[in-house]
Amino acid sequence: MKKIGITTSQIIMMDPSLCGYKKMNVTTTYVHAVQKAGGLPIIIPCICSEEEMKQYIELCDGFVLIGGMDIAPVLYGEMPHAKCGAYDYDVDVSQLAFTKLVIESKKPALAICRGMQLVNIALGGTLIQDIPSLSQEINHAFDYDGNIVHTASLDKDGGLYRLLQTDTIAINSLHHQAVGKLGQGLHVDAKAPDGIIEAISLPEQPLLGVQWHPEMMVDTDPLMAKLFCWVTEH
């Protein structure tokens, strides 16, 4: 059974008895998706020392880099846009460093939503801080339940097409940020009808990034389940 590292996010508790306490968490859907694909989930703290990161890299056979809050714009050389969402700088710095180690390891990695954005930044790219400020053709921040929102067209030269063997997929959507300038060496694997980048890959390396949330769809869409099988079986 392959050991699949799943990153975590951090929230600040608002319950009166725990107000101010920080909590690391991962949505159950990520864990379920890895288990369904036959992998053994290894939960990775969202803030680690460099030595701890290296041990997780050594321990795990593959990785799922999860979604979450926005990413501090200073990490890709920009100041926050007026509609940039909340971010946690300490978490962002740690997870960006971890993402770089994942890429360097050349082990299979599925980067989802914020995870895909971290991959892009790690390779020198930038983000669109607020999609609606540029275009409102599609409401990319539409759905919290995993329902289908729009389609994405796949590039036949991309790693995602080679895996899924389809020209178009129907996806959910829960983001207001997206890849801006593409990171060095990355390939655009899929786009939404409005041109927003929905998937990326790193040629000659087992790394796929998707902007939607396939972990919410693994029980209803075999193509989404296939993404997680790719990580556990690669």
Side-chain angles (χ1 to χ4, degrees):
M1 184 177 290
K2 295 286 186 70
K3 297 185 287 294
I4 306 301
I6 305 176
T7 56
T8 57
S9 58
Q10 181 167 264
I11 59 175
I12 298 177
M13 303 292 287
M14 300 304 293
D15 182 276
S17 62
L18 297 171
C19 189
Y21 280 86
K22 293 181 178 180
K23 180 179 181 180
M24 293 185 184
N25 71 314
V26 58
T27 307
T28 303
T29 48
Y30 292 106
V31 176
H32 169 67
V34 169
Q35 291 173 324
K36 182 180 176 71
L40 179 67
I42 303 294
I43 307 302
I44 301 173
C46 60
I47 296 180
C48 296
S49 68
E50 183 177 358
E51 180 56 34
E52 289 169 337
M53 291 181 194
K54 289 179 179 178
Q55 289 190 48
Y56 279 114
I57 295 293
E58 180 68 23
L59 172 66
C60 298
D61 301 301
F63 302 92
V64 174
L65 309 180
I66 74 167
M69 296 194 303
D70 289 351
I71 302 165
V74 68
L75 296 178
Y76 49 93
E78 295 184 9
M79 294 297 290
H81 184 284
K83 293 187 178 180
C84 179
Y87 56 83
D88 187 322
Y89 181 77
D90 291 337
V91 171
D92 294 344
V93 169
S94 183
Q95 292 201 330
L96 183 56
F98 185 73
T99 300
K100 290 178 179 178
L101 289 176
V102 168
I103 295 171
E104 289 173 8
S105 77
K106 297 187 178 181
K107 292 184 177 182
L110 175 62
I112 296 171
C113 196
R114 166 189 163 91
M116 168 173 146
Q117 295 168 9
L118 279 167
V119 166
N120 192 56
I121 295 169
L123 292 171
T126 65
L127 301 183
I128 298 170
Q129 292 191 37
D130 183 59
I131 296 170
S133 299
L134 299 179
S135 171
Q136 297 186 8
E137 183 179 338
I138 295 175
N139 182 0
H140 287 271
F142 178 76
D143 191 76
Y144 285 83
D145 296 317
N147 295 310
I148 300 302
V149 175
H150 62 82
T151 59
S153 299
L154 276 61
D155 187 307
K156 289 188 176 181
D157 292 326
L160 188 63
Y161 179 86
R162 288 193 293 275
L163 174 66
L164 302 183
Q165 292 293 300
T166 184
D167 295 324
T168 305
I169 53 175
I171 56 177
N172 57 24
S173 194
L174 182 54
H175 63 106
H176 80 107
Q177 296 196 324
V179 167
K181 183 186 77 173
L182 192 65
Q184 185 175 3
L186 288 169
H187 181 271
V188 176
D189 280 27
K191 287 185 177 181
D194 61 358
I196 290 296
I197 295 174
E198 291 287 345
I200 57 176
S201 64
L202 194 55
E204 300 181 9
Q205 190 165 323
L207 187 151
L208 293 175
V210 297
Q211 187 58 66
W212 65 94
H213 285 269
E215 78 282 359
M216 296 180 177
M217 303 167 68
V218 295
D219 290 332
T220 57
D221 188 336
L223 291 180
M224 300 302 126
K226 197 170 186 178
L227 286 170
F228 290 90
C229 291
W230 172 83
V231 175
T232 60
E233 298 173 2
H234 199 284

